[in-house]
Amino acid sequence: MTSSIRFLMCAPDHYDVDYVINPWMEGNIHKSSRDRAVEQWQKLYEVLKKHAIVDLVTPQIGWPDMVFTANAGLVLGENVVLSRFLHKERQGEEPFFQTWFEENGYTVNLLPKDLPFEGAGDALLDREGRWLWAGYGFRSELDSHPYLAKWLDIEVLSLRLIDERFYHLDTCFCPLANGYLLYYPGAFDAYSNRLIEMRVAPEKRIAITEADAVNFACNTVNVESIVIMNKASNALKARLADVGFRVIETPLTEFLKAGGAAKCLTLRVTEPLDTDIHANVSVESRVIRMEGHLLDSGLINRALDLIVDTGGSFQVMNFNLGEQRQSTSAAEVRVSAPSHEVMEEIISQLIDLGAVDLPQNERDAKLQPVIQAGVAPDDFYVSTIYPTEVRINGQWVKVENQRMDGAIAITKTANGLVASCKLLRDLEVSDSVIVDVLGIRTVRKTESREQRNSQEFSFMSAGVSSERRVELVVEQVAWELRKIRDAGGKVVVTAGPVVIHTGGGEHLAQLIREGYVQALLGGNAIAVHDMEQNMMGTSLGVDMKRGVAVRGGHRHHLKAINTIRRYGSIAKAVEAGVIKGGVMYECVSNNVPFSLAGSIRDDGPLPDTQMNLIQAQEEYAKLIEGAEMVLMLSSMLHSIGVGNMTPAGVKMVCVDINPAVVTKLSDRGSVESVGVVTDVGLFLSLLIQQLEKLTNPYVASVG
Ligand code: ARG
């Protein structure tokens, strides 16, 4: 023994793998050898005794994991925070550890019931005593961290564990003497890795490989320049030797079967206090309130999942379940996050779901001036498709021009303050922009079970449809189209060239001719292929009637472009009688406005194609204004563009043969968007048939 450093251990008299509470224990129940475990433990004990004082706590029958004394509690100076185990399989160890601490003169701090924290397994002091690293995500709750800070008067840095093999912080993280850190980055989320990198200089970080990590190389006992562990690769040993550490390997394979090794089997009970260091927690908490059909619409699950997935944790403080089917529920949830940054991320996502921050209800939104035209302040709130309100001078103001991916700008006008969504490029120096996530709420319709089942778009709510459902979607879309047309409403179609290749051109042309479409959005290609087909019978050189490539056909589309260029515009070519039918012909003849947005791959382009993209976005936005429904036909690019500009409440139907496109576009909440994975030509032909049935009952029944 060379120092006054003390450790606590517990002999493996009753050790066994009796249950499964971590992935290492799976398949290992009663598979560990008691004799070998005793021998391995004894070796560790002997090694450690050469470098420190080792105290023992009496093992107890029925508590096989008690050997892992790291989980007894967390010690700093005279203070102990006793563990509250997550699993009942280990909760019985608590009183025995408590007694030991009390008998040895420690002040024992007890966490509230139901707030799990697993001691030094999940909380590791920086070896220079500067701060405490605390893990959460599997065993310990983030909300325990502020208690650690308060009771131990130390700064707590919260790290989120995301790989269940490394369920305790000490399985993947080990602060060493002289400010070194041995750790496995793959066990942490991106935010935590960033925090580690901010606090520990690159030359002090020893990141290990997965192979070393699964041998519990981070589960190391460090006494001055000695590091004791189960096993290390030669590379790791060399790396540690380079910076002055001597590795002592002592096999602990029997304990690996329970998910622990050297560090887990010990608890350092002398941790000197640095009186210059004081508490500081970056963990933030807020109470949010949600109301509506929280269960029926699945909103509450989504909210709680997103809190955890984003790195926070929660406590449901109140849940008032609506009693009748049609009554709404209300919930108050306390959200905790490891930092203000993560909190903002969580709250802005919760706002999208319709939650309000409780105290924030009484707080105004935060504004910051735009100081450079076209650039928002760093912390600006990114707008969504949902109707939004912001609180300014105690008043909730409705945001105009709602769209996603903008900033909310506040402008002074003669009629008072106006809040509106603005694209970054449109921000002006006289604007103020909403920053942070205070004083913002979105209005979300949460459907009850009844509404959900009766809404027009409801049966499609599961999103991507299968064969039979294609027909159902077609019936529903035909019904909507007719209703909107008869009421003088507006339907916008975005279409890609595939519409023409799949033979859907004539159907789309018919829809336009019959007044079902009020604006067409696309690119250069759909117009070119449509007109090529009408002038030459081919689409990209393929004969549309026979489905075979025509000799020399690949030149057809350039010839089509050239012809239109000669006339100066599509409209002029139609007028001159060069184009006699098809999608573009019907647009021109029926005064249906269209916008063709250019791209880098465009041939020609057509004189009508807008190659200035900002201009094109503006034309699109104008044409979308006031639309009730958008039909997106096999054009990922233009459809996503349109999706971004369209506020919630506009029905969207996305048809594409690629399920990925459909999923991406129809993911806007069930009531208003629907995706169909099918051939767009087929879809359009079914749609025309269905519309004919609706408008022409005699023709259908006589035939
Ligand atoms: N079977 C024990 C458990 O899952 C192992 C504890 C290991 N201890 C540690 N500090 N990592 O709780």
Side-chain angles (χ1 to χ4, degrees), residues 157-344:
L157 302 175
S158 305
L159 299 176
R160 177 171 171 228
L161 300 166
I162 55 166
D163 180 334
E164 61 173 351
R165 296 172 301 172
F166 307 105
Y167 58 95
H168 274 143
L169 184 62
D170 68 0
T171 60
C172 50
F173 192 91
C174 184
L176 302 177
N178 300 323
Y180 284 98
L181 173 68
L182 188 65
Y183 77 121
Y184 174 56
F188 300 93
D189 73 356
Y191 174 80
S192 305
N193 269 302
R194 195 144 48 86
L195 183 62
I196 295 169
E197 287 161 19
M198 266 155 45
R199 291 295 175 123
V200 186
E203 67 278 8
K204 296 280 180 178
R205 297 197 294 263
I206 307 173
I208 69 167
T209 60
E210 186 171 1
D212 274 322
V214 294
N215 276 319
F216 276 70
C218 285
N219 201 251
T220 281
V221 186
N222 171 219
V223 185
E224 285 143 8
S225 64
I226 305 288
V227 285
I228 308 166
M229 63 179 80
N230 170 56
K231 199 177 166 155
S233 64
N234 289 336
L236 177 57
K237 275 186 256 183
R239 178 82 215 276
L240 284 165
D242 272 354
V243 292
F245 291 102
R246 181 160 71 87
V247 176
I248 303 179
E249 288 176 278
T250 180
L252 292 163
T253 49
E254 291 315 304
F255 297 98
L256 252 57
K257 294 175 184 168
K263 160 69 175 57
C264 302
L265 291 165
T266 63
L267 174 69
R268 187 155 167 159
V269 285
T270 46
E271 293 283 13
L273 259 185
D274 184 332
T275 44
D276 288 344
I277 304 276
H278 293 292
N280 186 5
V281 239
S282 38
V283 176
E284 270 191 22
S285 297
R286 284 195 192 170
V287 179
I288 56 136
R289 185 181 164 80
M290 302 184 77
E291 236 180 280
H293 294 280
L294 299 180
L295 286 183
D296 283 1
S297 63
L299 219 53
I300 192 79
N301 305 351
R302 267 189 283 152
L304 300 183
D305 282 353
L306 94 78
I307 295 172
V308 175
D309 293 345
T310 315
S313 82
F314 64 83
Q315 198 188 337
V316 178
M317 327 238 312
N318 265 312
F319 194 101
N320 268 324
L321 191 56
E323 280 174 25
Q324 308 294 338
R325 266 203 296 191
Q326 61 279 14
S327 41
T328 55
S329 310
E332 276 173 28
V333 180
R334 206 177 99 107
V335 181
S336 302
S339 68
H340 183 66
E341 194 185 341
V342 176
M343 181 61 96
E344 272 193 20

Side-chain angles (χ1 to χ4, degrees), residues 19 21-22 25 65 68 70-71 85 90 118 120-121 139 167-168 170-171 216 219 258-261 263-264:
Y19 44 76
I21 56 171
N22 69 48
M25 300 173 102
D65 272 338
F68 299 113
N71 300 119
F85 285 95
R90 295 198 64 183
E118 299 204 346
R139 298 296 185 84
Y167 58 95
H168 274 143
D170 68 0
T171 60
F216 276 70
N219 201 251
K263 160 69 175 57
C264 302

Side-chain angles (χ1 to χ4, degrees), residues 89 92 147 245 247 274 344 391 420 524 675:
E89 285 85 346
Y147 287 93
F245 291 102
V247 176
D274 184 332
E344 272 193 20
R391 194 174 183 276
S420 67
N524 194 60

Side-chain angles (χ1 to χ4, degrees), residues 74-91:
L74 171 67
V75 179
L76 180 59
E78 297 298 294
N79 264 304
V80 178
V81 180
L82 193 73
S83 285
R84 283 235 182 259
F85 285 95
L86 174 70
H87 296 292
K88 62 176 182 337
E89 285 85 346
R90 295 198 64 183
Q91 287 165 356

Side-chain angles (χ1 to χ4, degrees), residues 11-124:
D13 302 12
H14 308 297
Y15 170 70
D16 196 359
V17 181
D18 263 359
Y19 44 76
V20 176
I21 56 171
N22 69 48
W24 304 91
M25 300 173 102
E26 257 159 41
N28 275 328
I29 290 193
H30 305 315
K31 291 271 171 62
S32 72
S33 141
R34 171 73 49 79
D35 293 346
R36 211 167 326 128
V38 170
E39 186 195 315
Q40 291 181 342
W41 184 90
Q42 198 64 35
K43 274 214 185 97
L44 173 68
Y45 177 69
E46 300 299 337
V47 173
L48 193 56
K49 272 211 326 194
K50 288 199 194 114
H51 305 278
I53 305 163
V54 182
D55 294 327
L56 291 173
V57 55
T58 318
Q60 302 291 332
I61 297 183
W63 303 107
D65 272 338
M66 206 175 151
V67 283
F68 299 113
T69 50
N71 300 119
L74 171 67
V75 179
L76 180 59
E78 297 298 294
N79 264 304
V80 178
V81 180
L82 193 73
S83 285
R84 283 235 182 259
F85 285 95
L86 174 70
H87 296 292
K88 62 176 182 337
E89 285 85 346
R90 295 198 64 183
Q91 287 165 356
E93 300 171 32
E94 291 167 17
F96 300 110
F97 286 131
Q98 180 170 0
T99 307
W100 188 89
F101 286 124
E102 280 165 358
E103 284 174 353
N104 285 272
Y106 292 90
T107 308
V108 177
N109 296 277
L110 297 178
L111 286 160
K113 277 215 158 37
D114 298 324
L115 187 57
F117 166 67
E118 299 204 346
D122 260 337
L124 299 164

